[in-house]
Amino acid sequence: MSHLTRRGLVAASAALALARADAVLGLEIDRRAGLDPFALGVASGDPSLDGFVLWTRLSADGAPLDAPSVPVSYEVAEDAAFARIVRKGRRAASPSLAHAVHVEIAGLRPGRPYWYRFHALGAVSPVGRTATAPRQASRARIAATSCQHFELGWFTAYRDLVAAAPDLVVQLGDYIYENSYAQFPKVRAFDGPEPTDLEGYRRRHALYKSDPDLREAHRLLPWAVTWDDHEVENDYADLANLKALEEPVFARRRQAAYQAYFEHMPVRPSLWARPDAPRLYRRLAWGDLVGLPILDGRQYRSAQACNAPRQAGNRPRRDCVELDAPDRTMLGAAQETWLADGLKRETARWTLLAQQTPIAPIQTPEGVMSDQWDGYPAARRRLIGALTQPAVRNPVTLGGDIHAFLVADLHATPERPETPVVATELVTTCLAASHAPRARYGEARARNPHLRFADIERSGYLLLDAQPDRLEIDLRAVSDQADPNGKTASLARFVVEDRRPGVQSA
Ligand code: FE
Ligand code: CA
């Protein structure tokens, strides 16, 4: 053994350990039984000029893999046939992360497609397609989705989305739902109770990845994701929660939900270096055309106003003095500062601010809803201030959450329509979920003249085409989310012109 260098010895024993991992675990038995380790699919995300993150999670046909660490190798190629492989390497898929694998790739060429695949347990994954962001762009196509309830609708809108071939899919939260809604008809059922622990959330995420339309959209397109409330629990705000549980108790549930989220999403592992305080806010860009700050409106926010202590809940509010407290926050001080500082130096033609909940004031017959930015008016004024700094040429906000398409003018002082229109708000409806009560939003446009369009009945997604002189907006609606062959078509189209906030008819 003395002829072996220390480095050689380490390498040799690592190789031996990896070989043993395959052999000792009886995993060949899994393979002989025809179990697919890549049943949860592959995904990519957060494209930069020179790379992206690749994701997969090993499973036994979707069930957790009963195995210690498993070696996984990856390949990235410039062509779909893998004739020109430009990166390859190896990772260990560890049971401590549910055998999920995240690989951050760097050093590639900007603005071109790449193909990738994984190898593990004698199997090869489906081939994924992704892309690096361009250095300059004259066009960017971006799809925005939110709110996909597995039980309440088929995810057929993704077929139309994949056919539209966007450069990027932005998921604005409620990627999973933790809860069932007994009052609405189901097209299929969850495979277990509401998750409250790590095992439960992993199972729920794995169930989502069993949906072929969702899996295919991940395989073929790079995504940029952020969460809203249902990734943990409906309406939670920091540690305020639906049952008003003690903070340390809910903190454990939230931690489990956050971990499972990261395990199943193509998010860069550098963002969750601190699992107790994962960071999801970040900025992507598509050349000098689109700047895309992505916000986390849940982890740091003040509890909804005028609720009991620790009590989360979206309530109609009127005459709630606490609502206007200047220290109430949606983003937390650190994220607010990060956003304002970044936008001070914005260089993109279009700033698409990706976040969760509606920003424009929406008066309902019972007041404003306390979970939206209406419940955080001081924070909303600060947000509008950050968005209207001189460097931001064309501010446009993207949101979801309320299961309705909304297109709104955002005013300099949002509650005062006599102040100038300074930004454009685009809210995408649910991809598949229940719709808002007609009593609450049915007359939304009549009550709120700055809402330029509202549809509270359809499911679908938002398709944007950014060009230097215009942003084209297509609201894509599904014919019937209960139809497994539902068709998706344009419901309405708008345009935002360069340096002219607010939509025009297309
Ligand atoms: Fe939702
Ligand atoms: Ca929500």
Side-chain angles (χ1 to χ4, degrees):
M1 295 286 280
S2 59
H3 62 280
L4 280 178
T5 62
R6 179 167 164 72
R7 177 180 295 194
L9 188 63
V10 170
S13 48
L16 188 64
L18 291 171
R20 205 180 275 148
D22 270 353
V24 169
L25 304 176
L27 294 169
E28 286 88 348
I29 295 169
D30 286 349
R31 295 296 305 143
R32 277 203 299 276
L35 295 178
D36 179 5
F38 294 108
L40 300 177
V42 299
S44 71
D46 281 22
S48 62
L49 286 174
D50 73 337
F52 31 72
V53 59
L54 303 180
W55 172 90
T56 191
R57 180 193 158 192
L58 304 184
S59 70
D61 270 350
L65 207 59
D66 182 17
S69 197
V70 176
V72 181
S73 61
Y74 62 88
E75 295 168 309
V76 180
E78 288 183 341
D79 63 309
F82 289 81
R84 296 191 307 279
I85 293 176
V86 291
R87 287 286 182 286
K88 54 178 160 183
R90 203 155 203 205
R91 292 285 187 280
S94 155
S96 65
L97 294 173
H99 297 97
V101 178
H102 292 78
V103 184
E104 283 187 85
I105 304 288
L108 303 179
R109 291 154 57 194
R112 61 154 296 146
Y114 287 92
W115 287 262
Y116 63 93
R117 64 188 175 197
F118 297 93
H119 303 260
L121 301 170
V124 189
S125 76
V127 171
R129 183 190 179 281
T130 188
T132 47
R135 205 173 286 288
Q136 277 164 348
S138 56
R139 191 165 175 187
R141 180 171 271 205
I142 291 175
T145 82
S146 80
C147 297
Q148 38 193 32
H149 199 295
F150 188 86
E151 293 189 323
L152 301 183
W154 299 106
F155 297 168
T156 59
Y158 280 120
R159 296 176 202 166
D160 184 74
L161 186 153
V162 165
D167 296 300
L168 188 67
V169 181
V170 181
Q171 213 284 339
L172 298 164
D174 293 357
Y175 181 100
I176 62 162
Y177 277 76
E178 86 292 10
N179 57 343
S180 280
Y181 290 95
Q183 69 270 38
F184 298 115
K186 291 180 172 48
V187 302
R188 51 186 169 177
F190 289 141
D191 63 349
E194 178 169 327
T196 56
D197 59 11
L198 184 55
E199 189 190 341
Y201 283 106
R202 282 173 170 170
R203 183 180 177 125
R204 183 56 48 89
H205 276 280
L207 179 67
Y208 268 73
K209 292 293 198 288
S210 74
D211 183 283
D213 293 316
L214 178 61
R215 218 168 46 236
E216 198 67 350
H218 274 299
R219 182 176 76 83
L220 293 171
L221 300 164
W223 286 46
V225 301
T226 184
W227 51 38
D228 193 30
D229 49 345
H230 286 285
E231 284 82 356
V232 182
E233 182 189 46
N234 185 29
D235 287 343
Y236 88 95
D238 188 1
L239 293 175
N241 61 90
L242 277 187
K243 296 193 180 116
L245 300 174
E246 295 291 338
E247 291 189 349
V249 177
F250 185 70
R252 281 197 291 279
R253 177 176 180 180
R254 191 180 84 160
Q255 176 67 45
Y258 283 1
Q259 180 174 332
Y261 183 83
F262 279 112
E263 285 173 351
H264 292 82
M265 292 294 152
V267 173
R268 290 178 182 266
S270 46
L271 289 170
W272 46 300
R274 270 192 62 187
D276 60 323
R279 176 178 161 160
L280 213 44
Y281 62 86
R282 60 207 189 272
R283 180 183 188 271
L284 302 186
W286 212 254
D288 48 5
L289 189 60
V290 173
L292 188 75
I294 300 170
L295 304 186
D296 175 353
R298 283 289 159 191
Q299 187 174 185
Y300 319 104
R301 72 153 86 184
S302 311
Q304 294 89 358
C306 293
N307 286 0
R310 298 192 308 274
Q311 177 68 60
N314 184 23
R315 305 267 181 278
R317 292 292 177 208
R318 181 187 281 156
D319 309 320
C320 164
V321 175
E322 186 193 347
L323 212 68
D324 292 303
D327 59 341
R328 287 173 49 67
T329 182
M330 178 72 93
L331 304 176
Q335 182 175 199
E336 256 187 41
T337 302
W338 166 85
L339 179 67
D341 285 354
L343 291 177
K344 196 179 293 172
R345 297 186 303 272
E346 178 65 290
T347 53
R349 177 68 62 122
W350 298 93
T351 298
L352 305 182
L353 183 74
Q355 55 87 50
Q356 289 76 23
T357 51
I359 298 171
I362 307 175
Q363 286 295 336
T364 80
E366 301 175 286
V368 298
M369 298 307 299
S370 66
D371 188 61
Q372 301 164 11
W373 286 86
D374 267 328
Y376 301 79
R380 178 166 61 190
R381 284 192 288 279
R382 297 194 295 272
L383 180 78
I384 297 295
L387 260 180
T388 52
Q389 297 177 97
V392 185
R393 178 168 172 141
N394 290 302
V396 177
T397 68
L398 308 180
D401 177 55
I402 64 162
H403 307 188
F405 280 121
L406 292 181
V407 174
D409 291 338
L410 291 175
H411 289 266
T413 302
E415 306 83 2
R416 291 178 51 199
E418 70 276 19
T419 61
V421 177
V422 293
T424 313
E425 172 166 40
L426 307 174
V427 175
T428 185
T429 188
C430 51
L431 188 101
S434 57
H435 290 90
R438 182 148 282 284
R440 184 177 294 168
Y441 293 123
E443 304 297 319
R445 282 197 71 206
R447 279 172 224 282
N448 303 278
H450 52 276
L451 296 184
R452 305 283 300 280
F453 182 88
D455 180 288
I456 65 167
E457 294 178 333
R458 254 57 73 97
S459 300
Y461 71 100
L462 205 58
L463 188 61
L464 309 175
D465 258 297
Q467 298 159 42
D469 64 337
R470 57 205 270 126
L471 178 72
E472 296 178 354
I473 301 148
D474 192 356
L475 312 184
R476 307 287 298 173
V478 184
S479 56
D480 179 3
Q481 66 180 6
D483 178 358
N485 296 307
K487 294 283 179 284
T488 302
S490 183
L491 175 67
R493 293 172 192 265
F494 298 95
V495 169
V496 184
E497 294 169 357
D498 182 34
R499 291 196 190 277
R500 188 178 175 193
V503 293
Q504 315 299 322
S505 294

